[in-house]
Amino acid sequence: MLSEGAHFMKGMVLGGLFCLLLALLGSLRLGTESGTVDHHRHHHVQAPSKDELTRLSDSRMQELSNQVQISCIIMVQPKILVYWATAANTWSKHCDKAVFYTSESSKALEAVDLNEKDDWARLRKALKHAYENAGDLRWFFVAQPTTFAIIENLKYLVLTKDPSEPFYLGNAMKSGELEYVAYDSGIVLSYEALKRLVHVFQDEEKCPERGRALWKLSEDKQLAVCLKYTGVFAENGEDAQGKGLFNSKSVYSVISDSMKANPNNVVEGCCSDMAVTFNGMSPNQMQVMMFGVYRLRPYGHDFHDLLMFDPPEGSDND
């Protein structure tokens, strides 16, 4: 009986240790998963402060504002034609160059047909095409048609940054050990970062066109893996106060979240007034956003901005 009791206690102890190990592994896994919604903690790219701009001469500010031009790479599919059409008729008109890349040909709207069903392979082809047709453009913004972008705020963010340096920024996230920029919030690449990326595309060992892993990485994570081999790492885009500029949620959602988390200071707790992107809005909500951002004006109010980004010729959204 004593032997049986000893075996019983031994089994209880081992079982308890096993359960404890499972709990620890579970907490580690949850910790890793929760890390996917945390902002990037180590690398930050901040927009210039007003004090920083006032130290620049008028001629230098004008030179910078003329130099900063954005090439928008917008990934679309015919099955979401209504979002595609909305992006084409709203915020993308403020890009200095906007090219839509589609998975298959469509007679409804103009786009580059990549004839590719795989999401990652299609993104690779689009980035390579944008690089080869960049011309004088030195900043690249990759977006989905469900993302709404305020291009002037993006220009302000990168105003004093050198595109010959490898910038890869947006809403920086972490998944396990991998730091990446969330696709749904928009991805910004400098010319140097895109140049390195296109180069590593040629190395199938480091950056395969077709995933060879047991599980398939999303496009934004695969992009981060390839860039990591070139020495380019994800950076979080922020305003001068440290608030994130790239949002994976709609305006309604971020305000609703702030009302719950910061009921006594909703606006300050919500988001930056220099926000670059929002996501998850319906086409009608995007049209309303265009009205609020570009058309609604309080009569007699002067914003006293230190510089101006003129919209591209032909833009009818101002």
Side-chain angles (χ1 to χ4, degrees), residues 116-151:
E116 177 60 65
K117 301 296 184 182
D118 182 80
D119 293 335
W120 168 236
R122 185 165 65 252
L123 180 58
R124 283 172 55 114
K125 288 183 178 181
L127 290 167
K128 187 173 184 290
H129 182 275
Y131 174 73
E132 292 172 346
N133 295 274
D136 295 331
L137 297 169
R138 288 298 179 265
W139 290 100
F140 303 85
F141 175 63
V142 187
Q144 299 171 333
T146 53
T147 301
F148 184 95
I150 303 158
I151 298 301

Side-chain angles (χ1 to χ4, degrees), residues 3 16 41 46 54 67 70 80 84 89 95 106 108 185 264 313:
S3 177
R41 298 185 184 280
Q46 289 194 333
T54 55
Q67 285 179 350
I70 307 294
I80 51 172
W84 177 356
N89 290 315
C95 303
S106 172
S185 308
N264 297 322
E313 289 186 19

Side-chain angles (χ1 to χ4, degrees), residues 70-74 83-100 141 147-151 290 294 312 315 317:
I70 307 294
S71 173
C72 294
I73 301 165
I74 307 165
Y83 280 94
W84 177 356
T86 303
N89 290 315
T90 56
W91 64 267
S92 70
K93 290 190 174 184
H94 288 256
C95 303
D96 295 285
K97 180 180 181 179
V99 180
F100 291 81
F141 175 63
T147 301
F148 184 95
I150 303 158
I151 298 301
M290 283 298 296
Y294 291 107
S315 174
N317 285 311

Side-chain angles (χ1 to χ4, degrees), residues 214-281:
L214 293 176
W215 58 92
K216 188 175 182 179
L217 290 177
S218 59
E219 304 99 291
D220 46 13
K221 292 178 183 177
Q222 185 64 64
L223 183 67
V225 169
C226 294
L227 282 168
K228 197 172 182 180
Y229 279 112
T230 71
V232 182
F233 301 93
E235 300 177 284
N236 199 60
E238 303 171 353
D239 65 14
Q241 287 72 48
K243 287 184 179 179
L245 298 176
F246 296 81
N247 298 284
S248 60
K249 297 180 180 180
S250 67
V251 176
Y252 172 81
S253 293
V254 294
I255 292 176
S256 297
D257 291 347
S258 183
M259 290 176 68
K260 296 174 184 176
N262 308 283
N264 297 322
N265 200 357
V266 174
V267 175
E268 285 297 317
C270 165
C271 43
S272 172
D273 57 5
M274 293 297 295
V276 174
T277 63
F278 295 94
N279 188 53
M281 290 181 289

